Amino acid sequence: MTADPHVPLSHRVPDLGALELLLAVARHGSLGRAARAVGVTQPAASSRIRSMERQLGLALLDRSPRGSRLTDAGALVTDWARRIVEAAEAFDAGTQALRDRRDSRLRVAASMTIAEYLLPGWLMTLRAERPDTAVSLLAGNSAAVAGRLLAGEADLGFVEGLSVPAGLDGTVIAHDRLVVAVAPSHAWARRRTPVTPRELAETPLVLREPGSGTRQVLDAALAAHGGLAVPLLELSSTTAVKGAAQSGAGPCVLSELAVGEELSARRLVKIPIGGMRLRRQLRAVWPSGHRPTGPARDLLSLTARDARPH
């Protein structure tokens, strides 16, 4: 008759450690040798066997100066214990194989700025700590990152938007500023006064596409100033946005991380905006209720370590 799977185990079922000790006694023929085999003292082993006998309500061993011999009941219990321990060992080996398979790969999805300017350093450190883990990186906007995580196509994600996307949990790993930048030939590059939020809102800009974290932050910041004008250009990569702005097409709004080199080389000029701060949080995200494990957990730990003050 098949046992009802909904009936809980009796309180009389011993734990695995006690069953392993009983098997050791059966193999070695004495409590002393069994205790050494499982790494406990003889008094502790004796106490544990007696506790198991009380729990089961059965005498398992006949003790004598010459050693310990299984009773008839003890022999039966030992046979059953062997099956339980073998099943537990198979369970342990199976779950270890699953962990090994999980730990052999890491799929990361990240929004453009994080993928280009922060993740390379983190992944190099991770590779030094986990050389056998193969890492794949999928770059896209923040909406695409959320979609990949929810579809099970990534183990850990990084986004730049205003909040944690629906269906995900997350933690802030860094902060970032958006800057307005123009080519040196642009009229704003010669201004002596900051551009106002209203002027920025009314000016056609070179922007990332809707769904990007940069666009979300800018939309929210300019909502109180009439909202964004129809963009001059909408481009799906940071490099394309920078290239268009450098060519003189118009002002762009990008992460300070992304334009640092261009600003230093004067290929772009940073434009101050009066009365408005374009600041955002960078987050690590994962499906709700599924905290990262294995290499994903290690990568998350690296980002937290990197974010601490030095």
Side-chain angles (χ1 to χ4, degrees):
M1 185 171 65
T2 303
D4 183 346
H6 301 294
V7 175
L9 286 175
S10 164
H11 69 280
R12 291 186 179 278
V13 177
D15 62 48
L16 281 172
L19 296 179
E20 287 180 311
L21 176 58
L22 180 63
L23 292 175
V25 174
R27 282 196 309 272
H28 297 286
S30 84
L31 267 171
R33 288 193 292 272
R36 287 192 294 274
V38 300
V40 299
T41 65
Q42 182 169 341
S46 180
S47 175
R48 192 158 198 183
I49 291 292
R50 291 188 185 280
S51 177
M52 181 165 50
E53 288 177 321
R54 288 192 299 270
Q55 183 180 7
L56 292 172
L58 297 168
L60 302 175
L61 298 180
D62 282 331
R63 299 162 177 82
S64 72
R66 293 186 301 276
S68 300
R69 184 178 62 83
L70 292 172
T71 64
D72 290 343
L76 278 173
V77 170
T78 299
D79 284 342
W80 297 330
R82 186 173 293 107
R83 292 181 226 168
I84 293 171
V85 171
E86 287 173 354
E89 289 171 347
F91 176 87
D92 187 36
T95 55
Q96 182 60 53
L98 289 175
R99 287 191 295 272
D100 290 343
R101 187 171 69 180
R102 175 203 66 192
D103 294 351
S104 68
R105 66 169 190 174
L106 172 61
R107 300 167 302 166
V108 181
S111 51
M112 294 295 189
T113 300
I114 298 175
E116 291 183 37
Y117 301 99
L118 294 176
L119 261 173
W122 296 334
L123 292 179
M124 285 180 63
T125 303
L126 181 69
R127 181 167 181 78
E129 296 181 2
R130 280 184 171 271
D132 296 329
T133 298
V135 180
S136 60
L137 173 58
L138 303 166
N141 63 36
S142 293
V145 169
R148 288 189 182 279
L149 285 167
L150 293 172
E153 297 171 358
D155 305 305
L156 185 65
F158 295 92
V159 297
E160 307 161 5
L162 291 169
S163 60
V164 177
L168 304 180
D169 291 335
T171 185
V172 174
I173 57 165
H175 292 84
D176 184 28
R177 283 192 296 262
L178 300 182
V179 299
V180 178
V182 298
S185 58
H186 193 277
W188 282 5
R190 297 184 291 277
R191 281 183 64 132
R192 296 184 179 274
T193 59
V195 170
T196 68
R198 172 70 65 176
E199 284 180 283
L200 184 63
E202 293 175 347
T203 301
L205 303 172
V206 180
L207 297 174
R208 287 286 309 280
E209 77 286 2
S212 72
T214 301
R215 186 68 172 269
Q216 292 173 20
V217 172
L218 189 59
D219 280 335
L222 294 181
H225 303 283
L228 274 172
V230 175
L232 182 67
L233 291 171
E234 285 184 336
L235 302 169
S236 61
S237 80
T238 299
T239 301
V241 171
K242 288 193 293 186
Q246 288 179 70
S247 72
C252 70
V253 181
L254 287 172
S255 163
E256 195 169 44
L257 292 169
V259 295
E261 182 180 337
E262 287 76 14
L263 295 177
S264 296
R266 293 287 298 175
R267 294 194 295 272
L268 287 173
V269 178
K270 180 178 176 180
I271 304 301
I273 306 297
M276 185 173 69
R277 294 179 68 200
L278 294 172
R279 186 175 171 83
R280 63 182 178 175
Q281 296 175 324
L282 307 182
R283 291 181 173 85
V285 290
W286 54 89
S288 295
H290 298 278
R291 184 82 182 178
T293 59
R297 177 196 58 222
D298 292 349
L299 179 56
L300 180 59
S301 176
L302 286 177
T303 67
R305 188 191 316 171
D306 196 54
R308 292 189 199 118
H310 296 288

